[in-house]
């Protein structure tokens, strides 16, 4: 029997890729995000499976409880809960408006904690379930001009480790943490910006489908933490073992690789409201290798299409 999978943050980037990946497996989906219009688009992309869409602002009191209620009313249970919702803001800490900083933390840390609380309540009642939260390599290292996002991901890392310890007496309830590095999603362009230059993911950049595959794989083979990114281990080593060298290099490297040359006026991005026009699986930071895969005939082309879609 197919599982019931709740995906929070399903309209863009990793969340949207994850919805497609679970749909390919025939799972029943509950898709949640702020933009009703984009939820309808993702529902159409997953048309071969049973899909419930629930417009949800994760920062609104009671919204996640209402989401869980809608899921159980429709399907009778929840087997997997995936939280990918996140926003981002660029700017020096002392120049980033306080209300923007607090809303990023509210979305990226407190709402993720809310998702975990709601999901675990249902899993405890059922006796089993898999909760997957999306962190970042920036939950283990730091980078300038991203203070709110970094603080949120460090907090989430600590929360997950603590809850994993508390779940040791509930072996059928699994909590997995997915920590991507740079990923080709629209979150960088959609970010609030008080720095004057548009952000971008520094290389090497992974495709969102790769992160989605890691998420789906954790439902079959749950693991405490999964890192997705070729340089994640190197960055964590440098941050921990060579902190002085790391701190000297991270600023120039961030300005060179993590920021584009495009100027931008100060704005709040999608921190407070969605931008449906900017939501997509990919952010355009990598070539669309799916098109290349479609042009390759025979078994090699089929293998490439499975990898990139």
């Amino acid at each position: 029997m197919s599982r019931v999978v709740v995906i929070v943050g399903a309209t863009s980037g990793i969340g949207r890729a994850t919805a497609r990946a679970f749909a390919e497996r025939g799972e029943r989906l509950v898709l949640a995000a702020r933009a009703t219009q984009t939820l309808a688009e993702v529902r159409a992309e997953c048309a071969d499976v049973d899909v419930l869409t629930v417009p949800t602002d994760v920062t609104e009191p009671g919204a996640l409880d209402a989401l869980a209620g809608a899921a159980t009313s429709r399907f009778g249970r929840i087997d997997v809960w995936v939280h990918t919702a996140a926003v981002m803001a660029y700017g020096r800490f002392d120049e980033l408006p306080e209300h923007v900083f607090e809303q990023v933390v509210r979305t990226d840390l407190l709402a993720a904690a809310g998702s975990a609380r709601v999901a675990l309540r249902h899993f405890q009642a059922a006796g089993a379930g898999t909760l997957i939260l999306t962190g970042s390599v920036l939950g283990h290292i730091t980078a300038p001009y991203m203070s709110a996002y970094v603080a949120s991901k460090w907090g989430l890392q600590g929360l997950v480790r603590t809850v994993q310890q508390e779940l040791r007496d509930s072996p059928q309830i699994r909590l997995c943490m997915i920590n991507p590095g740079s990923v080709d999603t629209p979150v960088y362009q959609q970010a609030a910006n008080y720095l004057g230059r548009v952000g971008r993911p520094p290389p090497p950049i992974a495709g969102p489908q790769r992160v989605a595959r890691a998420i789906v794989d954790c439902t079959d083979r749950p693991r405490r933490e999964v890192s997705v990114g070729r340089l994640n281990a190197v960055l964590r080593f440098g941050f921990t073992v060579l902190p002085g060298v790391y701190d000297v290099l991270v600023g120039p490297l961030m300005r060179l690789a993590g920021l584009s040359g495009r100027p931008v006026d100060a704005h709040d991005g999608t921190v407070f409201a969605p931008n449906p026009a900017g939501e997509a699986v990919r952010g355009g930071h990598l070539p669309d290798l799916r098109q290349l895969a479609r042009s390759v005939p025979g078994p090699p082309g089929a293998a490439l299409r499975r990898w990139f879609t």
Side-chain angles (χ1 to χ4, degrees):
M1 179 182 294
S2 62
R3 293 172 296 188
V4 177
V5 181
V6 174
I7 303 174
V8 184
T11 53
S12 196
I14 293 168
R16 193 163 181 168
T18 300
R20 292 179 177 180
F22 276 117
E24 289 176 0
R25 292 168 59 108
E27 313 289 15
R28 290 172 288 174
L29 303 180
V30 181
L31 306 180
R34 293 179 293 180
T36 303
Q37 171 187 335
T38 320
L39 276 173
E41 295 174 5
V42 182
R43 180 174 186 165
E45 294 169 1
C46 304
D48 293 336
V49 298
D50 196 353
V51 179
L52 172 67
T53 58
V54 184
T56 304
D57 183 338
V58 296
T59 65
E60 289 294 324
L64 291 164
D65 283 307
L67 171 61
T72 54
S73 294
R74 172 70 171 270
F75 296 114
R77 69 179 197 275
I78 300 170
D79 300 305
V80 178
W81 187 294
V82 181
H83 187 96
T84 67
V87 294
M88 191 182 288
Y90 288 97
R92 290 176 55 95
F93 171 71
D94 55 345
E95 296 175 353
L96 192 66
E98 183 177 347
H99 69 287
V100 173
F101 183 97
E102 291 180 352
Q103 185 70 2
V104 172
V105 174
R106 191 172 293 117
T107 303
D108 294 0
L109 174 57
L110 299 183
S115 258
R117 187 177 298 111
V118 170
L120 290 174
R121 188 180 304 134
H122 283 265
F123 295 159
Q124 292 284 8
T130 301
L131 169 63
I132 301 173
L133 300 179
T134 308
S136 170
V137 68
L138 289 174
H140 291 287
I141 65 172
T142 59
Y145 318 125
M146 302 180 72
S147 56
Y149 187 81
V150 170
S152 300
K153 295 304 183 181
W154 274 71
L156 185 59
Q157 195 73 37
L159 173 66
V160 167
R161 185 68 179 271
T162 300
V163 177
Q164 286 173 336
Q165 293 165 353
E166 294 173 354
L167 288 173
R168 288 181 61 84
D169 59 352
S170 303
Q172 297 306 309
I173 300 174
R174 303 299 187 92
L175 171 54
C176 309
M177 181 72 146
I178 306 293
N179 284 327
S182 293
V183 183
D184 180 23
T185 77
V187 71
Y188 305 92
Q189 301 98 307
Q190 301 269 64
N193 199 304
Y194 287 84
L195 195 60
R197 292 170 60 186
V198 176
R200 63 185 178 189
I205 305 169
Q209 293 86 357
R210 183 179 172 194
V211 186
R213 286 195 297 273
I215 290 172
V216 172
D217 187 58
C218 272
T219 65
D220 298 327
R221 299 185 302 115
R223 281 155 290 165
R224 291 167 59 87
E225 181 176 339
V226 178
S227 179
V228 183
R230 284 178 287 171
L231 284 186
N232 287 10
V234 174
L235 293 171
R236 290 176 63 174
F237 177 86
F239 182 84
T240 304
V241 179
L242 302 169
V245 175
Y246 180 94
D247 286 353
V248 167
L249 294 178
V250 68
L253 288 174
M254 178 65 179
R255 290 188 289 272
L256 175 66
L259 300 171
S260 73
R262 288 191 293 141
V264 62
D265 294 331
H267 65 88
D268 289 346
T270 59
V271 170
F272 295 97
N275 173 29
E279 294 184 324
V281 173
R282 299 163 61 88
H285 305 285
L286 286 173
D288 190 349
L289 298 177
R290 291 175 298 171
Q291 294 294 335
L292 173 63
R294 293 189 187 103
S295 69
V296 178
L304 285 172
R305 286 189 288 275
R306 286 193 297 272
W307 182 260
F308 293 123
T309 59

